[in-house]
């Protein structure tokens, strides 16, 4: 559709239809296309794909009109329904008098042979207005008001920050999807069992996932059939559509390409082998939406943070099969103060005060999905225990026969990066999975319905949750394909099918993580490849640092934009954040210096405490333990103190919550077998830091090791870590001839 700029309006036009948006008050009007002749000197700025809506970023700031500037076709769902992803947006200030360079694709009708749109010629009235404005500005300059100048600068700065976050939300994360002919907000089951009437698409959507509902409100309130053309319901989440071929004759030797991008031949067109379409659709709720440390737990309406419905859709011939799962924050009142790694969670209300809102949440869930199987993945010990215990108590108080509670301590069962141990869970709930069934429809109608859903959660409902949901969904998909005769009864999914399937779920996890935490999912490499490798552990460390940085101040702006998109008043004083940023930056630098001094003091103290008098101290380092038995070790600033003497090395585990070493190991250098040191594997890009693995014998048995890496000194550098000075010289002086250096990858 064409976008025109006139004196008082922006005008969108396609065919006989036109939508006029006032540049004075933001009002929207439907008018016939012929009315373009009535506009003052309309200039075509270029082509756009559709309207997202309007937003006012602050009461002190003008309204903005948001348009789809560029889209990308994701794929086609059964019925030849195209699904598109928003890749670029155009944001038009409804107070600007000058033409804006929007970098739009130029329409051939109005810009034949022209590279850029023309400049608007101001009308005589405009000239008077500009002259009057200039005189007003000049009079202000001649008698400057410092307070007004400062307020104006702050207003501009705030507008720039919020606008930047708005653009990033749509263009960097690429997490907004739409279809002009298919309802992305509703699952196959809800669509097939709902009313079949002539209502337009936007009136049939699931209100929970209609992300631009408030932004498009001016249009929905017009109430005439002509408006339907302009309303495009959008979801925030993830959509990926692939065609997979069931071929057991293909060799898996060619699986050496990057798991990020599957080879093109994976979707071959060989008619000999059966093929099927698989789609993954995640819909993020617009209720209690926001960033991780700004939105936790439940609210007064029973909505929970990071609530996402994920539908896995299989299509074979004329059969469409769908399986739905949800994720969402633990529905109690809890929070984390997010100015450190992995902050300690706390309960904000008592058990009695929480009951009503917990009930409200699950009553709505049971009304929609009939049955719920809770899979709670939080740790049953340590800092997460308080949240897990509160959850279980509320489930017992709710006491509903349609609610099943399953607790699975992910970190305990998958200790040692053995994420394949998730199969322990899927095996245990296998009968529940089969009893739940799935939705199955064909051209004649509904064959089978899904009876209930799995509601999976961890603390953030990101990393662990995605691994478990992918595992459950795979069990279901294999059953579906066997039922349809696409897969042999006793065979697993073919290697290439499985690989693309894992990539889809890893991409899903990364997308949801970026929307809630600002970075890609931790543990994504296991979902993506089926293996947990050191590269993934080290990448997790970078993502943890990124999440830490993003949370500090950028989340405040992002949260404000999300709230404004949903019509929720912003309660935080955004202007005060400017001052807080400067203060916190200075404080952080001071803390960094204090932190280094603390490390030095710790090393000196524990050198005296742990080393006997007959041992000579050679050196000490503050490190992060990458040992897979400590999955969340990377969340702490200082996790391990490594002390080296002339006859032993000490690995002391430091708990910064209680400010002391809570356990340590002394290992004789006689039992040290070898040391491996090498850069981060380059599978995910340029190495950012090195790690070290110490192999040792315990009770004459080999196979034991410690894996350590440097503490990243400045999380604000967005993952650009600097290694602690672990030099060969310092280690060799203590370990002498026992050191066997290896530049190979550790795994």
């Amino acid at each position: 559709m064409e976008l025109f700029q006139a004196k008082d309006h922006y005008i969108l036009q396609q065919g006989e239809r036109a939508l006029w948006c006032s540049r004075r008050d933001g009002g929207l009007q439907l008018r016939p296309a012929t009315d373009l002749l009535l506009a003052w000197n309309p200039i075509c700025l270029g082509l756009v794909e559709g309207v997202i809506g309007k937003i006012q970023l602050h009461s002190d700031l003008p309204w903005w009109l948001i348009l789809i500037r560029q889209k990308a076709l994701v794929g086609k769902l059964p019925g030849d329904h195209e699904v598109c992803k928003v890749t670029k947006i155009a944001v038009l200030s409804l107070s600007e008098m000058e033409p804006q360079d929007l970098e739009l694709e130029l329409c051939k009708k109005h810009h034949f042979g022209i590279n850029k749109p023309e400049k608007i010629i101001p009308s005589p009235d405009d000239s008077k207005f500009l002259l009057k404005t200039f005189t007003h500005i000049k009079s202000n300059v001649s008698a400057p008001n410092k307070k007004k100048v400062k307020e104006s600068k702050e207003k501009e700065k705030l507008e720039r920050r919020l606008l930047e976050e708005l653009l990033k939300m749509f263009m960097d994360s690429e997490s907004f999807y739409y279809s002009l002919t298919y309802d992305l907000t509703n699952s196959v089951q809800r669509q097939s069992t709902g009313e079949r009437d002539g209502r337009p698409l936007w009136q049939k959507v699931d209100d929970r996932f209609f992300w631009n509902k408030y932004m498009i409100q001016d249009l929905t309130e017009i109430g005439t059939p002509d408006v339907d053309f302009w309303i495009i319901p959008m979801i925030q989440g993830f959509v990926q559509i692939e065609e997979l071929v069931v071929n057991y004759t293909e060799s898996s030797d060619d699986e050496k390409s990057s798991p990020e991008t599957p080879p093109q031949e994976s979707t071959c067109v060989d008619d000999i082998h059966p093929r099927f379409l698989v789609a993954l659709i995640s819909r993020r709720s617009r209720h209690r939406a926001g960033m991780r440390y700004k939105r936790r737990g439940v609210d007064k309406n029973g909505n929970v943070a990071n609530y996402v419905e994920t539908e896995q859709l299989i299509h074979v011939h004329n059969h469409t099969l769908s399986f739905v799962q949800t994720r969402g924050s633990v529905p109690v009142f809890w929070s984390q103060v997010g100015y450190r790694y992995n902050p300690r969670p706390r309960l904000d209300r008592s058990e009695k005060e929480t009951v009503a809102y917990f009930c409200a949440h699950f009553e709505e869930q049971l009304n929609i999905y009939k049955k719920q199987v809770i899979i709670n993945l939080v740790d049953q010990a340590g800092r997460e225990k308080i949240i897990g215990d509160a959850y279980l108590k509320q489930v017992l108080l709710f006491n509903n026969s349609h609610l099943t509670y399953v607790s699975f301590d992910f970190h305990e069962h998958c200790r040692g990066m053995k994420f394949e141990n998730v199969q322990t869970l899927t095996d245990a709930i296998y009968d529940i999975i089969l009893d739940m069934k799935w939705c199955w429809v064909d051209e004649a109608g509904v064959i089978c319905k899904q009876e209930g859903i799995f509601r999976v959660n961890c603390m953030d409902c990101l990393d662990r949750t995605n691994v478990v949901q992918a595992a459950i969904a795979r069990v279901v998909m294999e059953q579906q394909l066997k039922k349809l005769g696409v897969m042999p009864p006793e065979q697993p999914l073919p290697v290439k099918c499985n690989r693309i399937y894992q990539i889809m779920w890893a991409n899903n996890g990364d997308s949801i993580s970026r929307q809630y935490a600002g970075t890609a999912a931790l543990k994504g490499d296991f979902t993506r490849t089926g293996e947990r490798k050191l590269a993934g552990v080290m990448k997790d460390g970078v993502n943890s640092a990124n999440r830490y940085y993003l949370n500090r101040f950028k989340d405040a702006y992002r949260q404000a934009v999300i709230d404004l998109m949903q019509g929720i008043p912003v309660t935080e004083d955004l202007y005060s954040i400017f001052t807080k940023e400067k203060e916190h930056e200075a404080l952080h630098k001071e803390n960094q210096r204090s932190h280094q001094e603390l490390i030095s003091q710790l090393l000196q103290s524990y050198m005296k405490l742990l080393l006997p008098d007959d041992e000579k101290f050679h050196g000490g380092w503050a490190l992060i333990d990458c040992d897979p038995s400590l999955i969340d070790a990377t969340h702490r600033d200082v996790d391990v103190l490594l002390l080296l003497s002339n006859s032993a090395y000490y690995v002391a585990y430091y708990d910064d919550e209680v400010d002391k070493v809570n356990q340590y190991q002394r290992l004789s250098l006689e039992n040290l077998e070898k040391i491996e040191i090498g850069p981060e594997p380059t599978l995910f890009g340029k190495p950012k830091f090195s790690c070290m693995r110490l192999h040792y014998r315990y009770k004459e048995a080999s196979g034991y090791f410690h894996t350590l890496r440097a503490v990243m000194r400045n999380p604000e550098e967005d993952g650009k870590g600097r290694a602690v000075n672990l030099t060969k010289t310092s280690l060799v002086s203590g370990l002498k001839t026992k050191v066997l250096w290896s530049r190979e990858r550790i795994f």
Side-chain angles (χ1 to χ4, degrees):
M1 63 183 66
E2 298 159 324
L3 172 65
F4 293 88
Q5 184 176 20
K7 175 190 170 186
D8 297 321
H9 293 86
Y10 285 111
I11 303 167
L12 289 159
Q13 186 164 310
Q14 183 166 333
E16 299 300 315
R17 301 179 177 92
L19 177 66
W20 288 47
C21 181
S22 170
R23 298 174 65 186
R24 304 294 184 185
D25 58 15
L28 297 174
Q29 285 182 302
L30 299 180
R31 297 174 67 167
T34 52
D35 278 8
L36 186 65
L37 299 171
L38 304 177
W40 177 266
N41 191 28
I43 298 297
C44 180
L45 300 179
L47 300 174
V48 295
E49 300 292 341
V51 181
I52 296 174
K54 294 190 315 178
I55 189 170
Q56 187 179 28
L57 296 174
H58 196 276
S59 58
D60 295 340
L61 302 174
W63 283 88
W64 293 80
L65 178 65
I66 307 174
L67 306 172
I68 304 169
R69 184 173 62 149
Q70 195 174 93
K71 66 180 181 182
L73 179 64
V74 175
K76 293 184 179 181
L77 291 171
D80 212 32
H81 298 287
E82 290 188 349
V83 178
C84 295
K85 173 171 60 178
V86 177
T87 55
K88 291 183 181 178
I89 62 170
V91 183
L92 303 174
S93 173
L94 298 181
S95 66
E96 288 285 340
M97 298 306 298
E98 291 294 323
Q100 301 174 37
D101 185 7
L102 302 173
E103 299 180 359
L104 300 180
E105 180 186 346
L106 302 181
C107 72
K108 295 177 181 178
K109 183 166 66 175
H110 298 100
H111 297 282
F112 181 76
I114 301 175
N115 292 325
K116 287 191 175 181
E118 305 169 46
K119 296 285 185 181
I120 292 181
I121 301 171
S123 68
D125 290 341
D126 276 340
S127 300
K128 290 178 183 177
F129 176 80
L130 290 172
L131 182 62
K132 188 177 179 182
T133 303
F134 179 76
T135 306
H136 177 70
I137 292 170
K138 192 174 179 181
S139 65
N140 281 345
V141 171
S142 60
N145 185 322
K146 290 183 179 180
K147 185 177 180 182
K148 286 185 177 180
V149 170
K150 183 181 178 182
E151 288 176 355
S152 178
K153 286 183 177 178
E154 286 188 345
K155 191 184 295 185
E156 288 177 9
K157 187 177 179 182
L158 178 61
E159 185 174 31
R160 188 170 63 252
R161 288 283 183 89
L162 293 173
L163 191 57
E164 181 182 284
E165 287 303 318
L166 177 67
L167 291 168
K168 284 181 178 179
M169 271 192 69
F170 279 93
M171 293 163 66
D172 285 2
S173 64
E174 294 190 350
S175 59
F176 287 89
Y177 299 82
Y178 70 94
S179 173
L180 299 178
T181 58
Y182 186 86
D183 183 4
L184 287 175
T185 69
N186 274 305
S187 65
V188 170
Q189 181 158 313
R190 288 199 296 273
Q191 291 185 54
S192 61
T193 56
E195 295 180 11
R196 297 177 180 271
D197 54 32
R199 289 183 300 162
L201 182 66
W202 68 271
Q203 291 183 6
K204 300 177 184 178
V205 296
D206 189 320
D207 182 74
R208 297 175 295 167
F209 309 119
F210 187 177
W211 253 76
N212 58 328
K213 178 182 178 180
Y214 177 77
M215 298 169 71
I216 208 84
Q217 190 173 2
D218 284 6
L219 283 178
T220 59
E221 290 177 350
I222 289 177
T224 61
D226 294 343
V227 79
D228 300 338
F229 173 81
W230 300 100
I231 299 174
I232 303 176
M234 288 193 174
I235 65 166
Q236 186 189 37
F238 175 77
V239 181
Q240 187 169 345
I241 303 168
E242 299 286 347
E243 185 179 57
L244 304 186
V245 179
V246 182
N247 185 357
Y248 290 96
T249 61
E250 290 176 317
S251 171
S252 60
D253 294 338
D254 58 352
E255 297 298 310
K256 295 178 182 178
S257 58
S258 169
E260 304 285 345
T261 52
Q264 293 299 314
E265 64 266 25
S266 296
T267 55
C268 77
V269 292
D270 188 349
D271 293 331
I272 298 173
H273 304 289
R275 74 180 78 177
F276 63 97
L277 182 107
V278 58
L280 205 55
I281 304 171
S282 281
R283 313 169 176 100
R284 186 169 162 83
S285 175
R286 66 186 184 89
H287 301 303
R288 196 154 175 76
M291 305 307 291
R292 180 167 67 153
Y293 290 113
K294 297 292 182 182
R295 293 290 182 269
R296 292 288 208 190
V298 72
D299 67 12
K300 293 181 179 180
N301 296 314
N303 301 309
V304 295
N306 200 24
Y307 183 90
V308 181
E309 180 188 82
T310 300
E311 179 180 22
Q312 181 176 278
L313 188 150
I314 306 293
H315 183 72
V316 183
H317 304 305
N318 295 320
H319 295 265
T320 301
L321 297 87
S322 156
F323 185 74
V324 172
Q325 301 179 77
T326 62
R327 67 178 76 190
S329 190
V330 174
V332 299
F333 290 96
W334 66 282
S335 61
Q336 283 178 288
V337 180
Y339 291 96
R340 51 171 300 157
Y341 287 138
N342 199 21
R344 185 175 290 277
R346 67 186 185 195
L347 294 174
D348 297 326
R349 294 200 186 184
S350 68
E351 181 182 295
K352 186 177 180 181
E353 291 174 309
T354 303
V355 169
Y357 308 104
F358 182 93
C359 291
H361 173 70
F362 275 107
E363 282 169 0
E364 182 195 40
Q365 294 299 295
L366 293 174
N367 182 53
I368 297 170
Y369 301 108
K370 309 311 176 188
K371 295 179 183 178
Q372 293 260 305
V373 178
I374 296 169
I375 308 290
N376 183 18
L377 305 175
V378 303
D379 294 350
Q380 295 174 22
R383 64 179 66 201
E384 295 183 4
K385 186 176 187 297
I386 186 174
I387 303 301
D389 288 350
Y391 198 178
L392 178 57
K393 287 178 183 177
Q394 291 295 329
V395 170
L396 294 173
L397 289 170
F398 189 55
N399 191 26
N400 190 300
S401 60
H402 296 296
L403 198 66
T404 303
Y405 181 88
V406 177
S407 181
F408 182 79
D409 190 328
F410 187 95
H411 288 157
E412 180 64 29
H413 286 87
C414 300
R415 185 179 293 272
M417 295 195 300
K418 302 295 184 184
F419 287 2
E420 62 271 20
N421 289 349
V422 169
Q423 188 174 343
T424 305
L425 171 63
T426 55
D427 288 346
I429 62 173
Y430 186 75
D431 290 340
I432 298 176
I433 296 173
L434 294 185
D435 289 344
M436 193 173 286
K437 304 176 186 176
W438 52 78
C439 176
W440 184 352
V441 299
D442 64 6
E443 292 177 331
V446 180
I447 298 172
C448 179
K449 290 183 182 180
Q450 182 176 338
E451 298 176 1
I453 59 161
F454 288 102
R455 185 198 191 277
V456 187
N457 74 273
C458 50
M459 291 297 282
D460 298 330
C461 303
L462 296 176
D463 314 321
R464 292 170 273 182
T465 296
N466 202 63
V467 171
V468 169
Q469 284 195 334
I472 294 172
R474 175 176 167 164
V475 172
V476 172
M477 185 174 72
E478 289 184 346
Q479 290 296 319
Q480 290 171 334
L481 294 175
K482 289 172 182 176
K483 205 84 170 174
L484 293 167
V486 177
M487 273 177 59
E490 303 302 323
Q491 288 277 10
L493 201 63
V495 173
K496 282 196 173 181
C497 285
N498 185 53
R499 183 163 173 266
I500 297 171
Y501 175 78
Q502 288 173 328
I503 290 168
M504 291 177 71
W505 270 95
N507 291 342
N508 176 68
D510 284 351
S511 185
I512 294 171
S513 182
R514 287 190 185 97
Q515 294 158 29
Y516 188 50
T519 63
L522 308 182
K523 305 174 183 68
D525 57 319
F526 175 79
T527 315
R528 196 178 298 281
T529 66
E531 296 179 315
R532 183 65 170 153
K533 300 199 174 185
L534 186 62
V537 174
M538 298 174 75
K539 189 178 180 184
D540 285 358
V542 175
N543 284 341
S544 293
N546 287 346
R547 289 183 184 182
Y548 172 84
Y549 168 66
L550 287 167
N551 171 59
R552 300 178 65 167
F553 291 110
K554 289 193 173 184
D555 277 7
Y557 302 115
R558 177 66 62 89
Q559 185 63 56
V561 170
I562 292 170
D563 287 345
L564 291 166
M565 287 174 69
Q566 304 307 325
I568 301 169
V570 177
T571 56
E572 189 166 2
D573 182 3
L574 297 176
Y575 285 118
S576 68
I577 296 177
F578 300 143
T579 307
K580 290 179 183 177
E581 279 182 311
K582 292 177 182 177
E583 291 175 355
H584 202 81
E585 186 177 348
L587 181 62
H588 180 66
K589 288 179 180 177
E590 180 62 33
N591 286 343
Q592 286 291 100
R593 288 192 290 271
S594 302
H595 185 66
Q596 296 305 318
E597 292 171 5
L598 174 62
I599 290 173
S600 298
Q601 292 172 5
L602 283 171
L603 292 171
Q604 291 296 322
S605 299
Y606 284 101
M607 173 196 72
K608 296 175 183 177
L609 183 65
L610 300 179
L611 269 65
D613 295 335
D614 59 347
E615 289 187 22
K616 184 179 178 182
F617 180 64
H618 276 288
W621 302 268
L623 304 173
I624 292 292
D625 194 331
C626 290
D627 191 313
S629 65
L630 296 172
I631 298 293
D632 283 342
T634 53
H635 288 179
R636 298 186 181 181
D637 291 337
V638 177
D639 191 63
V640 169
L641 301 177
L642 176 64
L643 306 177
L644 182 63
S645 77
N646 61 324
S647 58
Y649 74 89
Y650 296 75
V651 179
Y653 295 92
Y654 175 74
D655 187 344
D656 58 355
E657 290 291 332
V658 294
D659 195 24
K660 68 178 182 180
V661 167
N662 53 21
Q663 59 176 314
Y664 76 95
Q665 287 179 278
R666 180 187 184 277
L667 297 152
S668 170
L669 296 183
E670 295 297 324
N671 290 325
L672 186 65
E673 294 181 317
K674 67 175 178 177
I675 295 178
E676 293 175 318
I677 289 185
E680 176 188 14
T682 57
L683 183 63
F684 297 106
K686 189 176 180 181
K688 291 184 172 63
F689 41 70
S690 297
C691 60
M692 174 178 66
R693 174 160 286 180
L694 307 175
H695 292 262
Y696 64 91
R697 293 188 306 275
Y698 178 70
K699 294 183 179 179
E700 302 305 319
S702 297
Y704 295 90
F705 56 82
H706 291 107
T707 307
L708 308 170
R709 72 155 174 84
V711 178
M712 287 192 294
R713 297 188 179 187
N714 190 1
E716 287 190 0
E717 293 180 358
D718 223 17
K720 298 175 183 176
R722 294 182 296 171
V724 173
N725 185 24
L726 284 169
T727 64
K728 288 185 182 180
T729 306
S730 63
L731 284 167
V732 171
S733 66
L735 304 177
K736 299 179 182 178
T737 58
K738 285 195 163 290
V739 179
L740 303 175
W741 296 100
S742 170
R743 284 292 177 185
E744 299 176 357
R745 290 183 180 177
I746 291 177
F747 290 156

